[in-house]
């Protein structure tokens, strides 16, 4: 979502730059994944657009906050005021829509910092179950559906989790 908002803002400030595929690749990447040559090229481009430079730097900071996982409570209390300050900067910039969205999701973001658990396994099983019922055009007998789900999702894995 952050990148999507940033790309829209970039389109508003430099529509021609958005057509350069190499530049798009540089703008989408995290700054710590760029080589020194790529950083120099990006720096040269951003020097011509100070608004884009400030948005790019703020986006990199925000992405740095959002990739943090499994941090302790003490670290979270230190990071939270910095994140709120950054969101406040966004609120008075062209990215105000992004700031309001992130403020509404602030509690889940902080929760993500503290806990690394995910419901990815549940979502994966749910997707498989939906695909099964779509392919079969619905099951008339629940036991047949149940057996098909157990066969598709892995008998041991599901049985151990369900029972």
């Amino acid at each position: 979502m952050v990148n999507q908002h940033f790309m829209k803002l970039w389109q508003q400030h430099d529509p021609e730059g958005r057509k350069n595929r190499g530049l798009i690749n540089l703008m989408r990447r995290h700054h710590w994944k760029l080589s020194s040559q790529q950083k120099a090229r990006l720096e040269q481009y951003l020097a011509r657009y100070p608004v884009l430079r400030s948005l790019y730097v703020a986006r990199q900071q925000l992405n740095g906050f959002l990739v943090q996982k499994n941090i302790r409570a003490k670290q979270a209390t230190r990071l939270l005021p910095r994140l709120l300050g950054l969101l406040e900067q966004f609120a008075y910039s062209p990215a105000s829509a992004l700031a309001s969205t992130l403020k509404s999701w602030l509690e889940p973001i902080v929760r993500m910092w503290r806990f690394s658990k995910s419901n990815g396994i549940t979502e994966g099983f749910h997707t498989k179950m939906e695909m099964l019922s779509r392919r079969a055009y619905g099951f008339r007998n629940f036991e047949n559906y149940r057996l098909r789900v157990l066969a598709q999702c892995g008998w041991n894995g599901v049985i151990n989790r369900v029972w």
Side-chain angles (χ1 to χ4, degrees):
M1 184 183 72
V2 173
N3 285 338
Q4 182 181 10
H5 279 275
F6 178 73
M7 295 308 235
K8 283 182 185 176
L9 291 170
W10 184 24
Q11 176 72 32
Q12 292 171 0
H13 289 284
D14 184 23
E16 291 302 312
R18 278 281 279 136
K19 295 177 184 173
N20 184 340
R21 294 181 78 166
L23 199 53
I24 290 173
N25 186 19
L26 292 178
M27 292 291 252
R28 283 186 177 158
R29 285 185 176 182
H30 293 294
H31 69 278
W32 60 84
K33 292 185 176 181
L34 295 175
S35 68
S36 57
Q37 185 181 17
Q38 291 171 327
K39 285 180 185 178
R41 184 170 174 231
L42 184 63
E43 190 63 36
Q44 182 182 7
Y45 172 74
L46 290 175
R48 291 184 283 171
Y49 301 97
V51 173
L52 276 179
R53 175 193 293 275
S54 62
L55 284 171
Y56 178 80
V57 169
R59 190 198 92 198
Q60 290 297 329
Q61 288 175 345
L62 183 60
N63 281 341
F65 285 122
L66 295 178
V67 297
Q68 300 267 343
K69 288 187 174 53
N70 276 348
I71 58 176
R72 303 195 189 291
K74 193 174 188 179
Q75 292 170 315
T77 55
R78 194 174 53 237
L79 286 177
L80 189 59
R82 291 174 42 203
L83 175 64
L84 289 173
L86 185 60
L87 291 180
E88 203 60 37
Q89 281 180 342
F90 274 129
Y92 299 109
S93 76
S96 59
L98 175 64
S100 63
T101 303
L102 288 174
K103 280 184 182 177
S104 67
W105 282 90
L106 191 60
E107 185 179 336
I109 290 170
V110 173
R111 202 176 309 126
M112 174 194 68
W113 284 348
R114 283 294 287 137
F115 307 104
S116 64
K117 301 298 183 221
S118 167
N119 68 341
I121 293 172
T122 306
E123 292 295 330
F125 283 145
H126 184 253
T127 302
K128 284 183 181 181
M129 291 162 49
E130 280 182 353
M131 302 271 283
L132 277 172
S133 77
R134 278 191 203 129
R135 272 188 250 139
Y137 299 105
F139 283 94
R140 291 193 177 116
N141 183 346
F142 179 75
E143 189 58 31
N144 289 342
Y145 173 68
R146 181 180 167 279
L147 288 173
R148 186 70 68 91
V149 167
L150 291 175
Q152 182 75 27
C153 295
W155 188 265
N156 288 335
V158 174
I159 292 296
N160 291 338
R161 286 186 181 95
V162 173
W163 307 118

